[in-house]
């Protein structure tokens, strides 16, 4: 049997799909499973062995030119089953044109006619989508094709190469000399509306160093290098370091989060790395509904200010960004203190 799994387009969503993906692998133990995904999320699954082949939906050029390549690759594989974790019309069309005999997904984005098995998303009486956990939606897909209930425990792995890279970072920053290491993640690919002010992160770093003697590592992707450097510069503490000067990758970020005693982050992909590695995490929410990305992680604290204009789900704020600016460094530090008081220390490279 051959199964094509159309994986989500966002880093955090791929992590939330891991319980369902694991269940599919275990239930269809002898199947040949093909992952169809964007190249930039592939690193999320590095170190896991659930997929037998990857087919990349390239991000370069118009989709009308990229689609025939993916369709051609799938036609050669001739999958018996396509499971669509994505909700787009485009992914439904690719599965349909690829000749996948059974196509399972949610009836969204006008693609119901392209699916053989149509699941209904959670809606209110007027038909409007109700914010509900994506991890539960992904699990519904797995259960529909015959898998036992996958549960909520997300799962990731790190590679030897990334662990050795983190060894070098920890040595260079002398993090072994500190009682704890806290990672700060200021970025969010969704848009600037999710960002917490750089000066707030810098103040928080000062609190962690001055009041707890923490070592602090500021995480970043290529687009957040400048922000990470600004946080280090404004914090003016030798215990605060940044990833900006290292070769960046999703795998490196995973390994840093796995080794940290706490992650403090915006509502972005790395927050789910913490849940997958059972690390404590404080997440700063602004424009987004917490319900969409709830994962039931027992070592998580969600912080969000109630404002009259939110949650708006907008990528950029058209007003004064009050949802994030009203969330103070003192409040975040208090939440960090709470989680660190009951942490399980994470030490060494193992």
């Amino acid at each position: 049997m051959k199964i094509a799994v159309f994986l989500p387009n966002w880093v955090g969503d791929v992590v939330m799909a891991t319980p369902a993906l694991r269940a599919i692998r275990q239930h269809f133990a002898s199947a040949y499973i093909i992952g169809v995904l964007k190249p930039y999320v592939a690193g999320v699954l590095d170190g896991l062995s659930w997929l037998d082949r990857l087919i990349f939906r390239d991000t370069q050029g118009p989709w009308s030119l990229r689609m025939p390549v993916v369709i051609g690759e799938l036609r050669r594989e001739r999958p018996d089953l396509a499971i669509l974790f994505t909700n787009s019309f485009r992914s439904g069309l690719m599965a349909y044109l690829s000749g996948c005999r059974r196509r399972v997904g949610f009836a969204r984005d006008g693609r119901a006619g392209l699916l053989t098995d149509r699941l209904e998303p959670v809606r209110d009486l007027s038909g409007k989508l109700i914010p509900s956990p994506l991890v539960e939606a992904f699990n519904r897909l797995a259960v529909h094709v015959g898998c036992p209930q996958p549960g909520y425990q997300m799962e990731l792995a790190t590679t030897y190469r990334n662990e050795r890279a983190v060894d070098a970072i920890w040595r260079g920053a002398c993090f072994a000399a500190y009682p704890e290491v806290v990672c700060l993640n200021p970025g969010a690919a969704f848009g600037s509306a999710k960002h917490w002010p750089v000066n707030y992160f810098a103040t928080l770093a000062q609190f962690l160093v001055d009041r707890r003697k923490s070592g602090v590592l500021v995480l970043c992707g290529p687009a957040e290098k400048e922000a990470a450097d600004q946080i280090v510069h404004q914090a003016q503490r030798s215990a605060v370091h940044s990833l900006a000067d290292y070769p960046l990758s999703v795998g490196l970020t995973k390994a840093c989060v796995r080794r940290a005693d706490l992650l403090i982050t915006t509502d972005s992909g790395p927050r789910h790395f913490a849940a997958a590695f059972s690390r404590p995490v404080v997440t700063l929410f602004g424009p987004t509904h917490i319900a969409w990305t709830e994962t039931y992680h027992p070592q998580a604290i969600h912080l969000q200010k109630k404002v009259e204009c939110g949650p708006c789900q907008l990528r950029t704020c058209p007003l004064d960004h009050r949802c994030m600016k009203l969330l103070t460094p003192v409040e975040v530090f208090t939440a960090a203190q709470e989680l660190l008081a009951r942490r399980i220390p994470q030490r060494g490279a193992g």
Side-chain angles (χ1 to χ4, degrees), residues 232-290:
V232 173
H233 176 73
Q234 292 182 26
Q236 296 185 327
R237 299 293 188 275
S238 61
V240 181
H241 301 264
S242 162
L243 277 189
D245 294 329
Y246 295 90
L248 301 174
S249 69
V250 170
L252 181 66
T253 299
K254 282 195 302 180
C256 288
V257 172
R258 190 194 72 81
R259 203 172 300 190
D261 293 287
L262 173 71
L263 173 67
I264 302 174
T265 177
T266 55
D267 175 24
S268 58
R271 105 172 224 234
H272 299 301
F273 297 169
F277 292 123
S278 298
R279 306 313 300 150
V281 56
V282 178
T283 304
L284 317 179
F285 286 88
T288 51
H289 286 275
I290 293 175

Side-chain angles (χ1 to χ4, degrees), residues 205-225:
Q206 291 173 337
F207 288 165
L208 289 164
V209 174
D210 296 347
R211 303 183 188 184
R212 294 193 57 91
K213 308 303 180 185
S214 309
V216 177
L217 179 63
V218 185
L219 307 177
C220 62
E224 295 92 38
K225 280 187 173 184

Side-chain angles (χ1 to χ4, degrees), residues 4-54:
V5 179
F6 286 72
L7 290 165
N9 297 332
W10 297 94
V11 166
D13 292 3
V14 173
V15 185
M16 288 187 285
T18 58
L21 189 59
R22 179 180 60 231
I24 292 167
R25 175 74 280 173
Q26 292 173 350
H27 184 70
F28 298 98
S30 61
Y32 185 79
I33 302 180
I34 305 155
V36 184
L37 69 166
K38 293 291 182 72
Y40 57 78
V41 301
V44 176
L45 299 176
D46 278 352
L48 299 172
S49 57
W50 299 334
L51 300 175
D52 298 296
R53 184 191 171 187
L54 303 181

Side-chain angles (χ1 to χ4, degrees), residues 54-133:
L54 303 181
I55 294 178
F56 291 121
R57 292 184 285 134
D58 199 350
T59 56
Q60 303 300 317
W63 70 271
S64 58
L65 297 179
R66 302 194 310 266
M67 268 186 61
V69 177
V70 177
I71 292 168
E73 291 291 319
L74 284 172
R75 276 190 172 275
R76 281 187 282 275
E77 292 286 1
R78 302 181 64 184
D80 303 283
L81 169 66
I83 305 172
L84 281 66
F85 289 173
T86 49
N87 292 314
S88 66
F89 178 86
R90 188 181 310 172
S91 59
L93 183 61
M94 281 193 287
Y96 177 81
L97 294 177
S98 299
C100 300
R101 289 192 289 250
R102 186 183 179 195
R103 302 173 298 279
V104 180
F106 284 94
R108 293 184 55 178
D109 203 21
R111 67 179 190 176
L114 301 172
L115 305 174
T116 59
D117 298 44
R118 308 168 190 89
L119 280 68
E120 285 297 326
V122 181
R123 302 182 187 272
D124 61 20
L125 293 178
S126 69
K128 183 179 179 181
L129 290 174
I130 297 175
S132 55

